[in-house]
Amino acid sequence: MSGAAVQATIQGEHQAPPAIELRDIHKSFGLVHANRGVSLSVPAGSITGIIGENGAGKSTLMSILYGLYEADSGEIRVDGKRVAIHAPRDAIAAGIGMVHQHFMLVDSFTVLENILLGSEGGPLLRRSMAGARRELERLEREYGLRVNPDALVGDLPVGEQQRVEILKVLYRGARILVLDEPTGVLTPQETDQLFRILSALSERGVTVILITHKLREIMAITDNVYVMRQGQIVAHRQTAATGREELAELMVGRKIRLGLDKSSCQPGDAVLQAEHLFFRDARGVTLVDDVSLAIHAGEIVGIAGVSGNGQSELLELLAGMRLPASGSIRLAGRQIDRDHPVDPAEMRRLGLAHVPEDRHRYGMVAQFEANETAILGYHREARFNQGVLLNRKAMVSHCSELMEQYDVRPRHAALDSRNFSGGNQQKLILAREIECSPKVLLVGQPTRGVDIGAIEFIHRELLRMRDAGCGILLVSVELDEVMALADRILVMFGGRIVGEVAGTEADERRLGLMMANAWPTANGDVAMNRAAS
């Protein structure tokens, strides 16, 4: 852009009020001061990024904007006018919509029913649905958000489900769209499609606020970016005038190495083997389909794939949480199959540790104190017991040591686990599993919702474990993460392993196509993998 064009843009922004203006926002949760005098301004029609470490206060700030929380003090202005937002209905009335990281959709409803839900407009649903269908067709034409209105949401791929979420907020009249970590479950191709949609929205005057920890996405799609640290805005940059290195340093307050110092692996003997594993759910649907693999000491094996293609069930089979319909697992000389089952506690005793994909459901109890979460699964060890009671002093001391070593914040061992940010919950769970020095470590989505500073730390710890001889199975939807860490990469689609690539030979396009069950043929065309269909 020329200097004159820049000046004209600046003058235009000064003449028109910002779409969103937050002034001196404060919010505390008990002793935790989540937002400290936050002020920011978002130009109408722009795509603005908000980044920061876990616990920096960015999600709290957006929850205040959307009415999920109320600020203790401060002011919100929409199009230059002060508004009072006490609940999401107030935000919706002000033209603000939010697409959450975890979709708020009913799988058994159609697309049209999900979009209409909560905005029925009276008891005559047939008339409301006819009007909603017409409006949906208009939104699809205007923004390129194509989706079958009569499809069941549960049958749609995640990229289309996200489109439904965007359509839902646009249907309610949103002119300001807030997206919280929107690409966490998307393939690279779906991410590109999302960015095209956001650009089209911006060009038609919709204001987009993007919360993400992925600096590459900030650089690719935003016009400007705010950086938060410890509840405050510490920097505002025009995206074109900054770079990933500067933003990373601003986020954490120190220099961050965006690359990994990774030596070549020296694999040893197989420490975990699976042969011809099958698993079917209660409906008889095959979710793990004839999977065989081996994990060797001193290597990281990555599994790439879009969520819902059997990775979760495979991890749970290997962790002893599910029993295979057929096939076997071998660990520490033990044969594990339908006739010789084991539970997760026995798998731990055999030297296997597990960081589950869903930390809230399987990795912790939200109401437990941090010192209780820090020993969950290992609470029967003698060091944590005194007769029939747990040794609270030993638990607190152990948790405090883990918090110091793994940089878990805040360092309050008696704080409820639910009061930590997602990234700090993840670090505490990872610390718990790593500290038992396992022979095999299963890790599901290790950095989901985790900021760049914590990602650097977690990656470094996983490489340290590998170099110490641990065999690691890593499941992640983040291709950058899989390619950075894995020595071998397996790709899953439809419950099957459809390909294997050496870590040194992997690239995003090839893996992305394999994740979609297609990859280049010899002449460069894309062909479906019929064998895996």
Side-chain angles (χ1 to χ4, degrees):
M1 184 181 291
S2 68
V6 170
Q7 187 61 34
T9 301
I10 292 172
Q11 289 172 353
E13 289 178 4
H14 279 261
Q15 292 168 359
I20 290 291
E21 191 175 4
L22 303 179
R23 297 182 177 181
D24 199 28
I25 299 292
H26 286 265
K27 180 65 180 176
S28 294
F29 300 93
L31 297 176
V32 179
H33 201 165
N35 289 153
R36 303 168 180 265
V38 175
S39 297
L40 59 81
S41 178
V42 179
S46 69
I47 301 178
T48 296
I50 300 179
I51 60 173
E53 291 189 277
N54 289 107
K58 55 189 185 297
S59 292
T60 298
L61 188 67
M62 291 301 101
S63 294
I64 290 170
L65 178 62
Y66 191 60
L68 297 173
Y69 301 140
E70 282 194 66
D72 299 331
S73 62
E75 182 179 315
I76 300 174
R77 289 180 174 265
V78 178
D79 297 328
K81 299 177 182 177
R82 184 170 182 173
V83 295
I85 298 179
H86 305 292
R89 63 176 175 272
D90 300 323
I92 292 168
I96 301 168
M98 188 167 185
V99 176
H100 299 271
Q101 184 176 359
H102 303 289
F103 300 154
M104 305 293 183
L105 300 172
V106 181
D107 285 352
S108 58
F109 281 15
T110 66
V111 168
L112 190 62
E113 290 166 342
N114 268 282
I115 287 171
L116 193 60
L117 189 63
S119 301
E120 291 84 355
L124 300 177
L125 284 181
R126 180 171 296 181
R127 183 181 301 171
S128 297
M129 291 187 74
R133 187 181 293 273
R134 289 192 297 271
E135 177 64 8
L136 185 59
E137 290 172 354
R138 184 189 71 79
L139 291 171
E140 288 181 354
R141 287 194 306 270
E142 188 168 346
Y143 299 117
L145 288 159
R146 294 180 180 83
V147 63
N148 179 4
D150 300 310
L152 288 176
V153 161
D155 294 336
L156 297 177
V158 289
E160 290 194 32
Q161 289 185 21
Q162 188 175 66
R163 248 175 271 172
V164 175
E165 284 279 24
I166 295 173
L167 282 166
K168 188 168 70 173
V169 297
L170 293 175
Y171 176 78
R172 285 159 173 75
R175 297 169 291 102
I176 298 154
L177 182 61
V178 180
L179 297 103
D180 187 5
E181 300 287 355
T183 65
V185 293
L186 303 183
T187 66
Q189 288 80 6
E190 288 171 329
T191 297
D192 291 342
Q193 175 62 22
L194 172 65
F195 286 175
R196 286 192 288 271
I197 290 169
L198 296 183
S199 293
L201 289 168
S202 175
E203 288 169 4
R204 287 164 175 78
V206 175
T207 303
V208 179
I209 301 175
L210 181 67
I211 305 172
T212 181
H213 66 276
K214 300 178 182 178
L215 294 181
R216 186 176 61 173
E217 294 179 2
I218 288 291
M219 299 306 300
I221 191 64
T222 65
D223 301 305
N224 58 91
V225 55
Y226 284 92
V227 183
M228 295 190 68
R229 190 167 72 239
Q230 297 180 352
Q232 298 176 302
I233 299 289
V234 296
H236 174 229
R237 296 286 188 273
Q238 297 299 313
T239 307
T242 188
R244 294 173 62 192
E245 292 77 10
E246 183 191 22
L247 292 176
E249 185 174 346
L250 288 168
M251 282 170 61
V252 301
R254 60 180 173 85
K255 286 193 176 295
I256 289 287
R257 298 192 64 178
L258 296 178
L260 280 173
D261 291 328
K262 178 185 172 186
S263 60
S264 59
C265 76
Q266 303 295 327
D269 296 334
V271 289
L272 176 69
Q273 294 170 285
E275 294 185 357
H276 305 295
L277 285 181
F278 285 85
F279 175 76
R280 300 177 183 88
D281 66 10
R283 301 168 297 167
V285 177
T286 299
L287 301 178
V288 176
D289 188 359
D290 195 22
V291 168
S292 297
L293 57 82
I295 311 298
H296 295 82
E299 73 166 347
I300 298 177
V301 176
I303 295 185
V306 176
S307 292
N309 279 280
Q311 309 97 305
S312 300
E313 291 76 16
L314 176 60
L315 273 183
E316 291 168 8
L317 287 171
L318 296 176
M321 296 169 64
R322 295 181 184 268
L323 190 63
S326 61
S328 64
I329 300 166
R330 192 164 187 85
L331 172 67
R334 284 281 298 274
Q335 181 85 1
I336 301 158
D337 53 32
R338 196 161 188 85
D339 297 325
H340 306 90
V342 297
D343 60 14
E346 179 64 17
M347 296 296 273
R348 280 194 292 272
R349 286 191 288 271
L350 292 172
L352 181 142
H354 178 209
V355 178
E357 288 184 298
D358 189 339
R359 57 178 170 260
H360 294 135
R361 187 174 182 184
Y362 297 118
M364 54 177 271
V365 178
Q367 295 82 2
F368 277 13
E369 293 179 0
N371 64 83
E372 295 170 319
T373 291
I375 67 165
L376 198 61
Y378 303 92
H379 50 279
R380 292 188 176 87
E381 293 184 9
R383 58 180 170 153
F384 300 127
N385 287 270
Q386 48 184 20
V388 296
L389 300 175
L390 288 170
N391 186 335
R392 184 67 61 174
K393 183 178 179 180
M395 292 165 56
V396 170
S397 175
H398 173 71
C399 182
S400 297
E401 290 175 5
L402 291 184
M403 286 178 154
E404 185 67 32
Q405 184 177 347
Y406 289 86
D407 193 29
V408 179
R409 307 177 209 169
R411 287 183 172 80
H412 299 315
L415 190 65
D416 284 355
S417 300
R418 62 187 165 192
N419 291 332
F420 290 85
S421 68
N424 284 295
Q425 291 171 352
Q426 186 75 347
K427 284 194 281 187
L428 185 60
I429 293 167
L430 190 73
R432 180 186 70 207
E433 300 302 325
I434 287 178
E435 279 302 294
C436 67
S437 300
K439 296 177 182 176
V440 180
L441 179 63
L442 308 179
V443 188
Q445 314 301 343
T447 59
R448 175 176 283 168
V450 173
D451 61 75
I452 192 167
I455 288 172
E456 178 195 40
F457 179 86
I458 290 170
H459 286 178
R460 193 168 63 242
E461 285 299 306
L462 292 177
L463 287 176
R464 182 183 65 79
M465 289 292 291
R466 181 203 73 162
D467 294 342
C470 181
I472 299 174
L473 182 65
L474 167 74
V475 171
S476 177
V477 296
E478 303 285 355
L479 282 190
D480 286 347
E481 180 167 67
V482 173
M483 291 190 293
L485 291 172
D487 303 300
R488 290 190 290 128
I489 301 173
L490 309 176
V491 180
M492 287 192 73
F493 178 88
R496 301 187 71 182
I497 293 175
V498 297
E500 177 175 339
V501 181
T504 54
E505 299 174 2
D507 64 76
E508 188 176 273
R509 180 176 181 274
R510 182 180 184 186
L511 290 176
L513 289 171
M514 292 172 73
M515 288 162 61
N517 196 28
W519 54 85
T521 61
N523 63 6
D525 295 331
V526 173
M528 295 302 295
N529 177 13
R530 302 296 179 188
S533 299

